[in-house]
Amino acid sequence: MRSLSNYRQEWFSNIRGDLLSGIVVALALIPEAVGFSVIAGVDPKVGLFASVAIACVTAITGGRPAMVSAATASTAVLMGPLVRDHGLQYLFAATILMGLLQIVAGFLKLGRLMRFVSRSVMTGFVNSLAILIFIAQLPQLIHVPEVTYLLIAIALAVIYLFPYITKALPSPLVAIVVVTVIALGLGIQVKTVADLGEMPTALPPFVLPQIPWTWETLRIIFPYSIALAAVGLLESLLTAQIVDDLTDTPSNKSRECMGQGAGNIVSALFGGMGGCAMIGQSVINVTSGGRGRLSTFVAGAFLLVLLLVLDDILRIVPVAALVAVMIMVSIGTFSWKSIVDLKRHPGTSSIVMLATVATVLATQDLSKGVVVGVLLSGIFFASKVARLFTVTRSDDADSDTVTYRVEGQIFFASAESFIGAFDFSTAEKKIIIDVSQAHLWDITAVGALDKVVIKFRRAGVDIEVLGFNRASADMVDKFALHDKDERQAASASLH
C-alpha cells in the first residue's frame, strides 16, 4: 500500500507545476527531435514519434520522476551506419533488442554501477553536455537575418526577468509566446518550426519490423543494440543522478533501466527510433517547476497534440524562441563553480573533469567521455591507495629475529612495492611478518606474499606470517601456495 501511495504522490502531488512545465518541455523537444532524426538519417517524424512514445512510457515505468527521455543525439549518432547499410526496418529491430537488453540490465541491477562514477566525471559530463547543447544551436545563429538575434535577446530577457514579476507561469513558456506574438504582429520573416522539416499528419501504426527473423539479422543488429543500450543507460543514469541532486530526492536506478527499455520497445513498435534521458530537457522541466511523473507524461502527450491537432500553431513558432530556451539550458547546466574549483580541488580531480570534457568535445560522444573519466578516476584512485601502506622493520638482536610490520592495503597496484620493502639479503635466523594491520585484497596480493615467503625460505631463513584478518585468511587459504606442499611453492616462486 505504501508503494502505491508513493507512486500516486509521484503523479499528483504537483499537478499545476507539472502541467505547465510539461508544455514547455514539449516545445523544446521539437527542434531536438528533428535534428537528431537528421543525424540518424531518418525522417523527422521518426524522431518526433520516438520522443512522444519514450516520454510517455518512461513517465509510467521509469524510476526517476520529472526526468525527460526522448530521442537523443548520443544514440542517434550510432544509428546512422545501420540505417545507411540496412535500412529503417533494421533500426526498429535493433531498437527493440536495445530495449530488451536494458530491461535485462535493470533486472541485473546494473544501475548500481553508477557508484563508480566520481563527482569529477559527473561535473565533466554536465559541462561537456552544456557545451554541446550550445554548439547544437549554432546552425540557427549563423547566416540568419539580424532580427533573429533581437528575438533571441528578447526571449532571453523574458526568461531571466519574468520570474521577478511572478513565478506562477514558467518563464520559458512565456518567452515562447511573447516572441511568437512579436514575430506575427510585426510580420517579421524568420525561420519557424515549419522550416525544420515535414511534420507528421497522422498517428503511426503499430507494426513489427519488416525484416527476416533469422540469425543473420541478429548478427547484424546485435552489435548496434549493445552499443545503443549501453550508451542509452549510461546517459540516462547520469541524468537521473543529476536530477536527484537538483530535486534533492532519490530515484530507483534499476527501475530506470527497465523503464528506458520499455520506452524504446514501444517507440520502435510505433515507428520511432531509440532514445534515452535528455539532461537539457530534464533541466528545463525541473527549473520550470516539474517534479512528478505527470510532467514527463504531459511533455510526450502535448507534443503529440502539437503534432496532430495544434500543428498550425506549432508551425508559426519562431525557431529563435526555442534557441533561446536551449541557450538558457546550456547556461544553467554548465557548472560555473567548477572553473573556480580547478585551483581549489586536487589536481587529479581537475584532470579527470577536463579529460571528460575534452573527450566528449573531440568525439561528440558523451559515453566515451564518461568512460575516459571513469578509467582515469580508477587509475588515480588505485595509485593513491597503493601508497597507503607501510612496512616497518624492527630487529631483536637477542633472538636474532627480524619483524616486519605491514600496515595498509595490499592489492594489484601495491604488490610490487610490498615485495620491494623486504631485505632478502638478511642473515637473520628468523623473520616474522605481522599483517595484523594490513588487508590482502586480491590474488595479486596473495601472490606477492607467496614470493616474499618463498624467497626468504630459499635463503634458508625460518619465516612466519601472522595476524591475518578473517577476509585475508580466507584469501590465503584458497589461493596461497607458500603454505601448501613444496612442489606448489616452488612453482609459485617462478611466476
Side-chain angles (χ1 to χ4, degrees):
M1 288 297 293
R2 184 180 179 184
S3 178
L4 179 60
S5 175
N6 289 343
Y7 187 68
R8 290 180 61 184
Q9 185 176 8
E10 290 173 353
W11 274 96
F12 306 117
S13 62
N14 184 42
I15 294 178
R16 184 176 178 279
D18 288 346
L19 287 173
L20 293 174
S21 62
I23 293 173
V24 176
V25 173
L27 291 165
L29 282 173
I30 294 168
E32 301 287 299
V34 173
F36 300 153
S37 298
V38 173
I39 293 174
V42 298
D43 291 336
K45 64 181 181 181
V46 176
L48 290 167
F49 282 139
S51 296
V52 170
I54 296 172
C56 289
V57 173
T58 54
I60 299 170
T61 62
R64 171 64 261 180
M67 187 171 77
V68 179
S69 298
T72 58
S74 57
T75 54
V77 295
L78 300 174
M79 300 172 184
L82 177 61
V83 175
R84 182 185 65 245
D85 297 339
H86 301 282
L88 182 60
Q89 296 299 320
Y90 277 81
L91 172 60
F92 295 152
T95 302
I96 291 174
L97 182 55
M98 165 195 182
L100 292 173
L101 292 172
Q102 290 177 327
I103 291 174
V104 171
F107 277 114
L108 296 177
K109 301 187 182 301
L110 296 185
R112 294 176 178 175
L113 295 177
M114 279 300 299
R115 68 186 68 179
F116 297 108
V117 179
S118 69
R119 175 60 58 179
S120 299
V121 177
M122 291 284 292
T123 302
F125 172 82
V126 169
N127 288 348
S128 55
L129 190 56
I131 296 171
L132 288 181
I133 290 172
F134 182 81
I135 291 175
Q137 311 313 309
L138 293 181
Q140 310 299 336
L141 298 172
I142 300 174
H143 305 305
V144 295
E146 292 183 0
V147 70
T148 301
Y149 304 120
L150 177 60
L151 292 178
I152 292 175
I154 292 173
L156 287 172
V158 173
I159 288 171
Y160 287 109
L161 297 178
F162 188 77
Y164 290 102
I165 300 174
T166 177
K167 294 183 179 180
L169 292 173
S171 61
L173 178 59
V174 176
I176 292 171
V177 173
V178 168
V179 170
T180 302
V181 171
I182 291 175
L184 284 176
L186 300 179
I188 300 175
Q189 298 298 314
V190 290
K191 191 175 184 179
T192 65
V193 171
D195 299 317
L196 294 177
E198 183 180 355
M199 299 291 119
T201 57
L203 285 171
F206 177 90
V207 292
L208 291 173
Q210 303 301 304
I211 58 169
W213 297 92
T214 62
W215 285 109
E216 177 62 19
T217 298
L218 181 62
R219 185 189 65 80
I220 293 172
I221 67 173
F222 189 74
Y224 290 98
S225 297
I226 283 283
L228 288 168
V231 170
L233 287 183
L234 181 61
E235 188 164 348
S236 296
L237 294 175
L238 285 171
T239 303
Q241 187 62 51
I242 290 168
V243 178
D244 287 354
D245 295 339
L246 287 174
T247 60
D248 196 26
T249 56
S251 62
N252 188 326
K253 302 302 187 295
S254 297
R255 179 174 175 180
E256 189 58 51
C257 293
M258 292 184 277
Q260 292 291 325
N264 283 311
I265 291 173
V266 173
S267 173
L269 293 175
F270 282 96
M273 58 198 282
C276 61
M278 305 181 75
I279 187 173
Q281 277 68 14
S282 297
V283 171
I284 291 176
N285 192 31
V286 173
T287 55
S288 299
R291 290 295 183 274
R293 296 179 182 275
L294 184 61
S295 61
T296 308
F297 186 84
V298 169
F302 189 69
L303 175 57
L304 185 62
V305 172
L306 286 173
L307 296 175
L308 302 181
V309 180
L310 303 178
D311 56 318
D312 290 337
I313 297 176
L314 174 63
R315 294 173 191 275
I316 63 175
V317 174
V319 172
L322 303 179
V323 169
V325 173
M326 298 312 296
I327 290 176
M328 177 270 290
V329 170
S330 67
I331 294 173
T333 300
F334 193 90
S335 176
W336 299 99
K337 184 174 178 290
S338 65
I339 298 176
V340 178
D341 288 340
L342 286 175
K343 291 184 177 181
R344 191 168 61 88
H345 284 177
T348 54
S349 297
S350 297
I351 290 173
V352 169
M353 192 273 285
L354 293 173
T356 302
V357 173
T359 303
V360 171
L361 296 182
T363 64
Q364 301 291 299
D365 189 334
L366 288 164
S367 62
K368 291 180 180 177
V370 172
V371 168
V372 168
V374 170
L375 287 176
L376 279 177
S377 295
I379 292 171
F380 289 143
F381 175 76
S383 176
K384 181 179 180 179
V385 175
R387 296 191 296 270
L388 298 179
F389 89 96
T390 59
V391 178
T392 306
R393 171 174 171 159
S394 59
D395 294 74
D396 185 347
D398 295 335
S399 60
D400 202 15
T401 299
V402 173
T403 300
Y404 289 93
R405 290 183 174 83
V406 184
E407 299 181 15
Q409 314 304 313
I410 312 301
F411 64 114
F412 64 89
S414 58
E416 186 174 347
S417 298
F418 170 76
I419 296 173
F422 294 90
D423 179 11
F424 297 105
S425 61
T426 183
E428 283 74 21
K429 294 182 178 179
K430 185 174 183 178
I431 299 289
I432 297 175
I433 301 178
D434 182 359
V435 295
S436 57
Q437 301 300 315
H439 186 88
L440 276 63
W441 282 100
D442 55 19
I443 59 174
T444 305
V446 174
L449 180 62
D450 276 336
K451 288 185 178 181
V452 170
V453 172
I454 292 168
K455 281 189 175 183
F456 275 124
R457 284 178 179 170
R458 292 174 65 182
V461 178
D462 181 21
I463 183 168
E464 180 183 2
V465 184
L466 50 84
F468 291 115
N469 59 34
R470 183 167 182 175
S472 298
D474 289 341
M475 289 283 293
V476 170
D477 288 342
K478 289 180 180 179
F479 304 111
L481 296 177
H482 69 266
D483 58 345
K484 307 300 188 298
D485 60 61
E486 294 183 2
R487 182 176 57 81
Q488 288 180 302
S491 174
S493 67
L494 299 177
H495 299 286

